[in-house]
Amino acid sequence: MLPKKLGVLCLQGSFAEHLQCCVDLGLETVEVRDIESLQSVSHLIIPGGESTTMLKLLKAYGMWEVLEGRMKEARDLKIFGTCAGAILCSYLGLDVEVNRNGFGAQQASMIVALESEKFKNLQGTFIRAPRFTNCGKNVETLATLNGEAVLIEQDNFLAASFHPELLDETRVHAYFFNQS
Ligand code: GLN
């Protein structure tokens, strides 16, 4: 087992905001930009942004293969994916079908109150957010919007269709690193 070490994938998207959340929590965090830094972490946050672009960069830098190996074979990495990051989780084994941009275009962006037993008064920022459709039977729902799953957990995955890093909110990050 690797020592517990948190990283944020810093190739594209809202990684600066995630790094700030980690600073706010007082967590030492690795900026993951290459294979070496990717191999050094036990917990990885994949930010929101543009999943096609992020995937292209991950493949170009040889990091996608490492991610697949660690998630599907070694199973020694935990991932928290937000928005585009959640879409990438669905390619790495998270048992959910994802409808990209399912919450609408940029103009439909919104900040809304979510329902959650675990995180009271949780709000979500949705920006061209994916909809989670057909969650597998091992997927646990931690927060919903109008009854629809928006924060889910399964095995080594935690995935949010919204952006917890864009509001004054660190509980989901703390949960990811401390509980798992
Ligand atoms: N729509 C983007 C995608 O498909 C995700 C948007 C986001 O991360 N805010 O990758």
Side-chain angles (χ1 to χ4, degrees), residues 47-52 82-85 87 100-101 126-130 161 163:
E50 176 52 54
S51 55
T52 307
T82 64
C83 207
I87 295 167
R100 287 180 66 185
N101 305 318
F126 291 76
I127 306 168
R128 298 174 57 232
S161 52
H163 291 266

Side-chain angles (χ1 to χ4, degrees), residues 74-93:
R75 294 178 183 266
D76 63 350
L77 177 68
K78 292 181 192 297
I79 294 183
F80 173 27
T82 64
C83 207
I87 295 167
L88 294 183
C89 286
S90 75
Y91 304 157
L92 287 166

Side-chain angles (χ1 to χ4, degrees), residues 6 11 22 27 45 92 98 105-106 118 150 152 158 162:
L6 181 62
L11 298 182
C22 300
L27 297 172
I45 296 171
L92 287 166
V98 164
Q106 190 81 19
K118 201 177 274 297
V150 292
I152 59 178
L158 178 65
F162 58 98

Side-chain angles (χ1 to χ4, degrees), residues 8 16 21 45 63 84 90 92 99 101-102 109 119 121 125 128 132 149 151 155-156 162 165-166 177:
V8 174
C21 275
I45 296 171
M63 295 166 76
S90 75
L92 287 166
N99 176 12
N101 305 318
S109 298
F119 305 104
N121 303 314
T125 304
R128 298 174 57 232
F132 297 146
L151 177 63
D155 304 323
N156 283 7
F162 58 98
E165 77 283 6
L166 295 184
F177 192 64

Side-chain angles (χ1 to χ4, degrees), residues 96 115-119 132 134-145 147-154 158-159 175:
V96 66
E115 306 100 31
S116 174
E117 284 288 313
K118 201 177 274 297
F119 305 104
F132 297 146
N134 294 328
C135 290
K137 63 175 181 345
N138 293 326
V139 172
E140 194 188 335
T141 298
L142 302 184
T144 57
L145 172 61
E148 197 178 315
V150 292
L151 177 63
I152 59 178
E153 186 170 41
Q154 178 214 314
L158 178 65
Y175 173 77

Side-chain angles (χ1 to χ4, degrees), residues 2-154:
L2 272 175
K4 212 168 160 179
K5 198 165 203 183
L6 181 62
V8 174
L9 185 66
C10 295
L11 298 182
Q12 193 270 332
S14 61
F15 57 82
E17 289 81 358
H18 277 290
L19 287 170
Q20 187 58 51
C21 275
C22 300
V23 169
D24 293 346
L25 284 168
L27 297 172
E28 196 192 317
T29 309
V30 176
E31 296 189 12
V32 172
R33 298 177 192 275
D34 53 23
I35 291 178
E36 199 185 4
S37 47
L38 176 56
Q39 275 166 335
S40 75
V41 298
S42 61
H43 289 63
L44 179 70
I45 296 171
I46 304 185
E50 176 52 54
S51 55
T52 307
T53 308
M54 233 183 293
L55 183 59
K56 259 190 186 159
L57 292 172
L58 283 164
K59 285 185 173 167
Y61 300 154
M63 295 166 76
W64 185 248
E65 212 179 316
V66 176
L67 269 179
E68 284 195 312
R70 294 195 61 186
M71 295 310 287
K72 295 182 177 174
E73 287 153 40
R75 294 178 183 266
D76 63 350
L77 177 68
K78 292 181 192 297
I79 294 183
F80 173 27
T82 64
C83 207
I87 295 167
L88 294 183
C89 286
S90 75
Y91 304 157
L92 287 166
L94 175 63
D95 190 10
V96 66
E97 275 175 33
V98 164
N99 176 12
R100 287 180 66 185
N101 305 318
F103 281 102
Q106 190 81 19
Q107 281 190 331
S109 298
M110 56 183 175
I111 298 175
V112 284
L114 305 175
E115 306 100 31
S116 174
E117 284 288 313
K118 201 177 274 297
F119 305 104
K120 302 288 176 210
N121 303 314
L122 185 66
Q123 288 196 309
T125 304
F126 291 76
I127 306 168
R128 298 174 57 232
R131 275 198 137 99
F132 297 146
T133 54
N134 294 328
C135 290
K137 63 175 181 345
N138 293 326
V139 172
E140 194 188 335
T141 298
L142 302 184
T144 57
L145 172 61
N146 301 323
E148 197 178 315
V150 292
L151 177 63
I152 59 178
E153 186 170 41
Q154 178 214 314

